[in-house]
Amino acid sequence: MAAKKRFRLFYLALPPAVFIPVCTQLKNNCWIQSSNSECRVIVEKPFGRDLDSSNELSEAITALFNEQEIYRIDHYLGKEMVLNLMILRFGNELFRSVWNRERIACVVITFKEPFGTYGRGGYFDTNGIIRDVMQNHLLQILCLVAMERPVSVDASDIRDEKVKVLKFVKPLELDDVVLGQYTGNPDGPTEDSKLGYRDDPGVPDDSKTATYACAKLMIDNDRWAGVPFIMKCGKAMNERKAEIRVQFRDTPSDIFGSKCQRNELVIRVQPNEAVYCKMNVKSPGMTFEAEESELNLTYHERFEDIDLPDAYERLILDFILGTQTNFVRTDELAEAWRIFTPLLHKLDAGGKTPVDYPYGSRGVAAADEFIQQVGSSSLVLTSGTLERSEEFYIERTLDS
């Protein structure tokens, strides 16, 4: 009778300073190498602080383990609606011909949390919101929205396409971001909401670490040239929400008195997972006017008996089964840091001071102006009259 295959699985959630020594000890003392055994290791973020430190960690870990044994985890890749992006895009002919710069005006990826960092401010202050959320979670979503169709659903094919699209993303500069830091709200409903970021004893009084960021990324390829991908993320906001908002261009030659709003496809990642499409319909009754409505697929209404697994549950199962599709590969990680490292170095040197925003608000007001400016290059002039422009429709996303 053939011997059963044996597995040793390790989960590393460690500070960077001890990461390499622990991996070395694992390799020397715990790793099984035989024909009927296999070892794997999950690596939790942070995967470095910039491109150089990330490369140093990657070189150390790939010298010890091969790529098939390494599972860099980003739990957003295990969320139901993020996983759904692949099938929405490549399983529906409806979207194939419109998923490009000719039909899409902008893409907005939003992450909000309604609580601050009190109690973990010391850790957060060494990273900030860009390293904590934008460089990993939101960039992974961007990859799935923007990448080309993979040859198959094999892990290597999907991750190849993610790397390809990242190579087309231009590195961020200071002018590409708006930053904020939350302050206490004297009228807040909880004691925590009355405390600002710098009220945490672990945070320096003069900290310039951002707890909110809004960034514009550009993908310089044939499909997306000229289309802004806007990322917004923040702590101590007015609600908990993560969503992807794909905003389509204006309907040409609107014959309904300019009442047709711009179509949007919205994928709500959390809470209350949903996909809905904003579209124009006839107003009910004795009228022939257009109004905006939605085609709405809310998961807990449509799939009543389904219990959606937690993202970590799904990813740990993938880890056990040896499926690497939803884990980050070495070259993918390097490209992500290439995009953000120039900006992060300038911010670490004090290149931009975050603007205050009150706990429980929508964030920094200057971000609204920034998003409007992103679309200001597409003003439409018709017969000498200024029609609704790109900035008008981008502004509509601010209150969503």
Side-chain angles (χ1 to χ4, degrees):
M1 184 176 178
K4 291 183 178 180
K5 194 166 187 177
R6 296 179 298 167
F7 295 90
R8 285 189 178 180
L9 308 178
F10 302 91
Y11 194 117
L12 303 185
L14 301 168
V18 300
F19 181 80
I20 295 175
V22 169
C23 286
T24 302
Q25 291 301 317
L26 276 180
K27 181 68 173 182
N28 293 339
N29 299 293
C30 303
W31 221 248
I32 306 173
Q33 292 181 323
S34 66
S35 58
N36 70 331
S37 66
E38 188 174 329
C39 294
R40 302 175 194 141
V41 58
I42 279 185
V43 182
E44 267 276 12
K45 67 170 188 172
F47 312 125
R49 289 184 49 79
D50 57 13
L51 181 58
D52 288 342
S53 60
S54 176
N55 284 345
E56 181 182 351
L57 289 174
S58 291
E59 288 171 7
I61 192 172
T62 53
L64 297 168
F65 317 120
N66 62 54
E67 191 69 45
Q68 288 70 41
E69 296 171 324
I70 304 167
Y71 290 70
R72 294 180 186 84
I73 193 168
D74 183 328
H75 76 278
Y76 256 63
L77 288 174
K79 289 187 175 289
E80 180 72 22
M81 300 312 295
V82 175
L83 289 166
N84 204 2
L85 282 168
M86 284 278 294
I87 293 179
L88 277 174
R89 283 198 58 194
F90 304 119
N92 293 287
E93 183 66 13
L94 173 68
F95 297 123
R96 187 181 65 83
S97 63
V98 299
W99 211 262
N100 55 59
R101 61 188 174 90
E102 300 297 331
R103 295 290 180 263
I104 291 176
C106 72
V107 178
V108 182
I109 303 170
T110 302
F111 170 97
K112 293 182 178 183
E113 286 184 336
F115 48 84
T117 62
Y118 195 86
R120 58 187 290 264
Y123 164 79
F124 188 88
D125 201 65
T126 63
N127 293 288
I129 195 71
I130 294 177
R131 288 185 174 98
D132 195 45
V133 175
M134 187 176 284
Q135 183 270 341
N136 38 71
H137 302 334
L138 301 194
L139 194 64
Q140 286 296 323
I141 291 175
L142 179 145
C143 287
L144 294 170
V145 171
M147 73 183 196
E148 297 298 317
R149 180 184 181 274
V151 174
S152 74
V153 293
D154 183 77
S156 60
D157 290 332
I158 292 173
R159 299 199 290 183
D160 284 348
E161 294 303 331
K162 289 167 70 178
V163 172
K164 285 180 186 176
V165 76
L166 287 175
K167 287 179 180 291
F168 284 107
V169 180
K170 299 176 180 179
L172 288 169
E173 300 292 342
L174 289 175
D175 290 341
D176 295 324
V177 296
V178 172
L179 304 176
Q181 187 184 92
Y182 72 86
T183 58
N185 183 350
D187 300 320
T190 65
E191 288 303 313
D192 187 61
S193 63
K194 293 178 171 62
L195 299 173
Y197 175 70
R198 294 192 299 273
D199 291 326
D200 189 314
V203 175
D205 293 339
D206 59 350
S207 173
K208 293 184 178 181
T209 298
T211 60
Y212 173 93
C214 177
K216 177 196 70 175
L217 286 82
M218 303 300 292
I219 303 174
D220 192 19
N221 64 7
D222 288 346
R223 183 180 293 273
W224 297 113
V227 177
F229 281 72
I230 300 165
M231 293 181 177
K232 302 189 295 179
C233 53
K235 303 283 187 180
M237 304 285 283
N238 60 331
E239 61 180 331
R240 175 178 179 257
K241 181 172 75 173
E243 72 172 22
I244 305 134
R245 187 173 293 265
V246 180
Q247 199 173 86
F248 293 88
R249 295 193 180 276
D250 302 337
T251 301
S253 303
D254 183 359
I255 62 174
F256 301 105
S258 299
K259 291 186 178 180
C260 287
Q261 305 295 334
R262 181 171 283 181
N263 299 138
E264 291 181 341
L265 176 69
V266 182
I267 299 103
R268 189 190 305 136
V269 177
Q270 65 181 29
N272 302 321
E273 294 87 348
V275 180
Y276 60 94
C277 182
K278 291 191 174 184
M279 59 185 301
N280 299 295
V281 299
K282 175 188 169 298
S283 297
M286 299 294 289
T287 178
F288 196 63
E289 294 187 352
E291 70 173 53
E292 186 179 59
S293 187
E294 294 106 17
L295 295 176
N296 187 356
L297 170 60
T298 300
Y299 266 52
H300 288 291
E301 294 177 3
R302 174 62 179 84
F303 307 107
E304 295 181 6
D305 299 326
I306 297 297
D307 183 20
L308 297 178
D310 178 78
Y312 276 103
E313 288 181 74
R314 194 191 308 265
L315 292 176
I316 290 173
L317 177 59
D318 284 348
F319 175 55
I320 293 170
L321 297 175
T323 303
Q324 289 188 301
T325 303
N326 299 310
F327 294 86
V328 181
R329 202 167 65 186
T330 301
D331 53 349
E332 184 182 348
L333 179 62
E335 286 300 323
W337 280 117
R338 175 192 62 81
I339 294 164
F340 283 92
T341 291
L343 170 68
L344 290 169
H345 283 177
K346 291 173 183 176
L347 294 178
D348 291 343
K352 198 161 199 169
T353 301
V355 179
D356 290 346
Y357 66 95
Y359 196 120
S361 67
R362 289 180 50 252
V364 179
D368 296 356
E369 300 171 9
F370 172 76
I371 294 173
Q372 292 175 32
Q373 291 170 5
V374 165
S376 63
S377 60
S378 298
L379 294 175
V380 180
L381 290 171
T382 305
S383 303
T385 303
L386 183 65
E387 299 291 326
R388 284 177 173 171
S389 62
E390 188 94 352
E391 60 190 327
F392 171 85
Y393 292 101
I394 292 178
E395 185 177 13
R396 290 178 60 225
T397 69
L398 301 175
D399 296 320
S400 301

